[in-house]
Each structure stands twice: as structure tokens, then as C-alpha cells.
Amino acid sequence: MPRTALLAIVIVPGDRRSIAGQIVDAIRRKISATELAVGDQLPSVRGLAQQLAVNPNTVSKAYAELVSGSWLVSRAGMGLYVAAQRDPLSDGERNRRLDAAVDRFVNEVVAIRANPDEAVERVGEALGELGLRQSA
Amino acid sequence: MPRTALLAIVIVPGDRRSIAGQIVDAIRRKISATELAVGDQLPSVRGLAQQLAVNPNTVSKAYAELVSGSWLVSRAGMGLYVAAQRDPLSDGERNRRLDAAVDRFVNEVVAIRANPDEAVERVGEALGELGLRQSA
Amino acid sequence: MPRTALLAIVIVPGDRRSIAGQIVDAIRRKISATELAVGDQLPSVRGLAQQLAVNPNTVSKAYAELVSGSWLVSRAGMGLYVAAQRDPLSDGERNRRLDAAVDRFVNEVVAIRANPDEAVERVGEALGELGLRQSA
Amino acid sequence: MPRTALLAIVIVPGDRRSIAGQIVDAIRRKISATELAVGDQLPSVRGLAQQLAVNPNTVSKAYAELVSGSWLVSRAGMGLYVAAQRDPLSDGERNRRLDAAVDRFVNEVVAIRANPDEAVERVGEALGELGLRQSA
DNA sequence: GTGGTCTAGACCACG
DNA sequence: GTGGTCTAGACCACT
């Protein structure tokens, strides 16, 4: 049932990512974890900007990126809604990118001399919170 | 028994990482996987530079970074050797960095809409290849 | 409040340390003595190079080493800033290195037949100037 | 009363210093700590070489350096003895070198982010073991 | 404008 | 021979 979502997002000032990037990541995660359901309406640009105490343009930029990535859809004059999840990436492309991401992660784990088992465990926990969803 | 290593490293031109960065990553992985053992001598700066068809300064930069990170030790006029593996990072710092790495990885997995279970599995495989060694 | 620092650094030509090394030592000392505060911006690579009359690459190398040692952070296109001071080294590693440094120093004191009490006094004075800050 | 000393020296294979350098440092320390008294005879080159399981030439090289630095004197055909301690360094020269050594030490303490107070304390302990001796 | 990287060529110190 | 350093000049990506 469509509803208007309240977004619990925390902006970290010292983060390497841009503020818009942090908003994008947070919303993508919430959609992936079905914390935001298909059809849910998102807060208005001005509303979210005020809530997060950031510039409305920043929120607008984040929303635009999510729309272009098919995470959100815009209904003219009615606001933004979580889009139905069809996948814009081909299997091959997704596989390639996943490989690259895994490779990057392994490099980081090695670089900090972290325990491999613990690293796997933490990834499992973090991804487990997303539940079991799409593209199985 | 110390030996002189032959490094199978492939430099990918299109890689986002710098050439020196690719060398650093490759050597750190080989050390972590015990493909390079403590005490092994590394190829000379000029030798590896010729093998990889890059500038000796680039190899030197990579080696310097590995020395400063305690992965290698330099014996004046004698070459570079794989250092005894101790834990140079504090637990707190390593934890902080592992958390950040996990967070980045999760963001990437979500962004490409990859299957979380498959992502965990692939990380497990990739890290499993490193064997069970450090900071248990 | 973050500010842009002016660095009073003197490069000594005859010094055994490299030019880059001298820059690194000087900046580390200033940070330790809180002469450079967390968040302060450092002079640009080109600016400091011109001030010290050295090659920009030399300054860049010094900065790179300070970044890799978590003394500075780089914000893309924005310059370099003094990083928040955490303890990147494990207690064991720091202890080991301190022991080695003390041992080296004692050997030097003995070798020049300096008065031990005077040596201790001078170390106390020199370290006292750094104030009482880290890893208490 | 002149006696023939037994030297408790430990050679560390992985040490950055040469073996001869380690022997020199060790003997200088023992003389400074009056563990070796003026007039004491040192072990023969062959004897010490056998005891330490190193090449006699290495011991000979170490002894030669100590003689040239006026730590030992050679009595023809009678062996080597701890020399009377007169100081070959001028006050100015010793002061300069002590300053340099202190500076190096401070740089190392800063680099490893060690606690300054602890560093001073450890130097005090290490130098205290030498007792109160010369050139006061 | 900022830092970051790579190349090229030269010189030094060490063993 | 080895690594280490500095200079010079070029190109890139980011803001």
C-alpha cells in the first residue's frame, strides 16, 4: 500500500562521498532492504533538504541520479515514487561489476591485514540486513 | 629458505588504479597468500620495470610504499626482501578501516542490484584463496 | 577553526635526510606540537615548492608520505588538510619501534662519550616542547 | 685490578647494523657502564670470534674501530686492553653531535606517535644503567 | 586552481 | 650491481 515515507538518513560531514552521494547510497540501501517499498512516495525535495539541513539543490541532484538509475520514478506534479524493480543491467555487466567490487574489497582487506574470516563474516552480516531480494 | 622471486604481475592499462598502485596491490596479495614468503628477495627495481615495461621510478614508488607499510624491508645495496609479518595497525584502526571497506562494498553491491548471497559467496571464495593466516 | 597554514620550514642542503624527508619531519613535528591544528589546510604543492625552491615533485612526495601515514588527508581538488589524530599503530608495534629508537639513541650517546644525565635532560627539553598530547 | 673480561654479547642476525657494528656498540656500552674497567684485557680475536660464532675478521674489524676511537689500546704481543678514558672529542663537537642525536630521536618519537613522557622515561632508564661517569 | 601520476635522465651511497 | 633521490616536463581528474 503506497505511503509517504519518512527517511532516516544521517549525513556525515567528514565523509569522502559528497552529500548527494550519501543520500543516493542511503536511499538505494533502503529500497534494497525493502525499507522503502515499490510505490512509496518520497519526501519532497524541499522537505528532505530541510530535514537534513542541506541545500535543496543537493537533494534534487540525488533524486535525479536515482531517477536516471531507475530506482525512482517521477509522476508529473505528484512527486517521486519508488520504482518497480526491473533491472537495467545485463547479467554480464552486473557480473563484471560485482567481480570488480569483490576485487577492490579483497585488496582493502589485504592492505589492512584484516582477518579474512572476519571480513567475510562482516560482509555477510551487512548484506544479511538487506534480506533476500531481487535477481536471485 | 630465502629465494629470489619471479613475479607474475599483469599491468592493466585501463585500470583506475595507478600503475604503481597495481604493483602494490599485486605484491601485497602475493605476500598475504604466502606466494611470496618472508625473506624472499624481490626483483630489482630495474628488472621489474623492464619486465612490466614501465619506468623504473614507478616500480621504485611502489616498492617505497610497500616498505613504508612494513611489507618489505630494504637492505642497502642488497635489494628488497619480504618483511617478517607483524601487525602494524592498532585493533581500533583496523576495525575502523574494515568497517569502511565493508560499507563501501555493500553500497556497490546494492548499486548494481547484485544478489547479496552471491556477493557474500564470491567474497568468501576470493578471501579463501588467501589461506588462513593473519591476525587470527 | 580551519585556516591555511604558513609553514616555516628550513631546508638544510647538507642534511643526511632527503629534502622530502626533512619536509616530512618538519610537518610531523608541527602537527605533534599543535602548531598545525586538525583541519588546517597546508600550502599547495606548487606553493611550498616555490617557497622552498625545490621541485614540486619533491613536495608532492613528502605530502604523499604524510597522507599514507594518516597525518594528512587529501580532498580532491581542494588541497591537503591536517587529519584527525588517531593512533594508527598497534601498541606492540609502537613499543617495538620506541625500544629500537631508544637503543639507537643510547648507542650514539655512548659513542660520543656524552654525559648521560645531560642527554636525558636535553631529550626532556626537546620532547617537552611538543606539549602533552598524544596516546597518554 | 686488571683482569681478563668475559664478554656477554648477543649478535642479532636480523639487525640493521653490521655484525662488527653490533660488537662495537656492545663493547662501548660495557665500557661506559664500567662493566669493563680501564686496564681490563679483552678476549682474543679468535676467542671472541669462536664464542660469537662469527668470522675472526669481523671481530678484528670491530677491535680496530674501537682502537682508532681510543676505547681500546693495543699492547704489542699482549693483546687489547680497555684504554684510559680521555676524550678525543672537543666540547663543541660533542655538543653538536648530541644535539643531532637528540633531534633524530625526537623525530622518531614523533613519527611513531609515542608518548613523549614515556619516551623520556625510557631514555632515562636506559642511560641510567650506564651509571654516572665521564665528562660531567 | 588543486593533487596525482608517469616518463626521462641524472647523480649519489652502499656493498 | 643495488636502491634512493631530485629535477624537468607533461598529462589527467576534480572543483
Side-chain angles (χ1 to χ4, degrees):
Chain A
M1 128 191 64
R3 58 199 178 88
T4 301
L6 274 182
L7 294 186
I9 295 182
V10 180
I11 298 301
V12 181
D15 201 301
R16 298 185 59 244
R17 298 170 297 172
S18 68
I19 295 179
Q22 293 183 49
I23 297 174
V24 167
D25 281 338
I27 293 179
R28 276 201 297 229
R29 280 212 191 187
K30 287 177 188 300
I31 295 176
S32 291
T34 65
E35 191 175 335
L36 283 175
V38 171
D40 281 0
Q41 183 178 17
L42 276 87
S44 70
V45 168
R46 290 183 197 78
L48 185 56
Q50 186 177 9
Q51 175 192 329
L52 301 180
V54 300
N55 193 301
N57 285 330
T58 303
V59 174
S60 189
K61 189 178 168 187
Y63 277 175
E65 184 172 337
L66 289 165
V67 168
S68 88
S70 300
W71 293 86
L72 304 180
V73 290
S74 165
R75 292 193 222 164
M78 305 218 25
L80 290 161
Y81 299 81
V82 176
Q85 296 300 329
R86 48 185 168 70
D87 200 321
L89 261 56
S90 70
D91 285 1
E93 178 68 8
R94 189 171 47 243
N95 248 297
R96 276 202 317 105
R97 295 206 195 174
L98 180 54
D99 277 341
V102 169
D103 208 59
R104 266 192 298 275
F105 180 68
V106 170
N107 276 332
E108 294 183 280
V109 169
V110 165
I112 61 182
R113 289 181 167 93
N115 184 315
D117 295 334
E118 187 186 350
V120 175
E121 189 187 342
R122 290 218 209 172
V123 169
E125 291 170 3
L127 284 173
E129 295 175 1
L130 299 180
L132 328 170
R133 339 164 320 289
Q134 76 272 6
S135 67
Chain B
M1 142 187 47
R3 59 200 179 84
T4 301
L6 276 181
L7 292 188
I9 295 183
V10 180
I11 298 301
V12 181
D15 200 310
R16 296 194 46 187
R17 296 172 298 169
S18 69
I19 298 179
Q22 293 182 49
I23 297 174
V24 167
D25 281 339
I27 294 179
R28 275 199 298 229
R29 279 213 191 188
K30 286 178 191 296
I31 294 176
S32 290
T34 65
E35 192 176 335
L36 282 175
V38 171
D40 281 0
Q41 184 177 18
L42 276 89
S44 75
V45 168
R46 294 166 180 81
L48 186 57
Q50 187 177 7
Q51 174 192 328
L52 302 180
V54 300
N55 192 290
N57 276 332
T58 304
V59 175
S60 189
K61 188 178 170 185
Y63 278 175
E65 189 170 333
L66 289 166
V67 168
S68 95
S70 297
W71 294 87
L72 305 181
V73 289
S74 167
R75 290 190 230 164
M78 303 281 305
L80 291 157
Y81 299 81
V82 176
Q85 295 300 328
R86 303 203 216 88
D87 257 336
L89 261 57
S90 68
D91 288 355
E93 185 67 11
R94 189 171 39 245
N95 248 297
R96 203 162 10 236
R97 296 197 192 180
L98 181 53
D99 277 342
V102 168
D103 208 58
R104 267 192 297 275
F105 180 67
V106 170
N107 276 333
E108 293 182 281
V109 169
V110 165
I112 62 181
R113 292 184 170 90
N115 183 315
D117 294 333
E118 186 187 349
V120 175
E121 189 188 341
R122 291 219 207 170
V123 168
E125 290 170 6
L127 284 173
E129 294 175 3
L130 299 180
L132 341 161
R133 313 171 338 292
Q134 66 256 26
S135 63
Chain C
M1 144 185 48
R3 57 199 180 84
T4 301
L6 277 181
L7 292 188
I9 295 183
V10 180
I11 298 301
V12 182
D15 200 309
R16 298 193 45 187
R17 296 172 298 169
S18 70
I19 298 179
Q22 293 181 50
I23 297 174
V24 168
D25 282 338
I27 293 179
R28 274 200 298 230
R29 280 215 192 187
K30 287 178 190 297
I31 294 176
S32 290
T34 63
E35 191 176 335
L36 283 175
V38 172
D40 281 0
Q41 183 176 16
L42 277 89
S44 75
V45 168
R46 294 164 180 82
L48 186 56
Q50 187 177 8
Q51 174 192 328
L52 302 180
V54 300
N55 191 291
N57 276 333
T58 303
V59 175
S60 189
K61 188 178 171 185
Y63 278 177
E65 188 169 334
L66 289 166
V67 168
S68 95
S70 298
W71 294 87
L72 304 180
V73 290
S74 166
R75 289 189 228 166
M78 303 280 306
L80 291 156
Y81 300 80
V82 176
Q85 295 301 329
R86 303 202 215 89
D87 256 335
L89 261 57
S90 68
D91 289 355
E93 185 67 12
R94 188 171 41 244
N95 249 295
R96 202 161 14 235
R97 296 196 190 180
L98 181 54
D99 278 341
V102 169
D103 208 59
R104 266 192 299 275
F105 179 67
V106 170
N107 277 333
E108 293 182 282
V109 169
V110 166
I112 62 181
R113 291 183 171 90
N115 183 315
D117 294 334
E118 187 186 350
V120 175
E121 189 187 341
R122 290 219 208 169
V123 168
E125 290 171 2
L127 284 174
E129 293 175 2
L130 298 180
L132 342 161
R133 314 168 339 289
Q134 66 258 29
S135 64
Chain D
M1 121 195 62
R3 59 199 178 89
T4 301
L6 273 182
L7 294 186
I9 296 182
V10 180
I11 299 301
V12 181
D15 201 301
R16 297 184 61 246
R17 298 169 297 171
S18 68
I19 295 180
Q22 293 182 50
I23 297 174
V24 167
D25 282 337
I27 294 179
R28 275 200 299 229
R29 279 212 193 189
K30 287 178 189 301
I31 295 176
S32 291
T34 65
E35 191 176 334
L36 282 176
V38 172
D40 280 0
Q41 183 177 18
L42 276 86
S44 71
V45 168
R46 288 182 198 80
L48 185 57
Q50 186 177 8
Q51 175 193 328
L52 302 180
V54 302
N55 193 301
N57 285 330
T58 303
V59 174
S60 189
K61 189 177 166 188
Y63 278 175
E65 184 172 338
L66 289 165
V67 168
S68 88
S70 301
W71 294 86
L72 304 180
V73 290
S74 165
R75 292 192 224 162
M78 306 218 22
L80 290 161
Y81 298 82
V82 175
Q85 296 301 330
R86 48 187 168 71
D87 201 321
L89 262 57
S90 70
D91 285 2
E93 177 68 8
R94 189 171 46 245
N95 248 298
R96 276 202 316 105
R97 295 205 195 176
L98 181 54
D99 277 342
V102 168
D103 208 58
R104 265 193 298 276
F105 180 68
V106 169
N107 276 331
E108 293 183 281
V109 169
V110 166
I112 62 182
R113 290 182 166 93
N115 185 315
D117 295 334
E118 186 186 350
V120 176
E121 188 188 341
R122 291 218 209 171
V123 169
E125 291 170 4
L127 284 173
E129 294 175 3
L130 299 180
L132 327 171
R133 342 160 319 288
Q134 77 272 4
S135 68

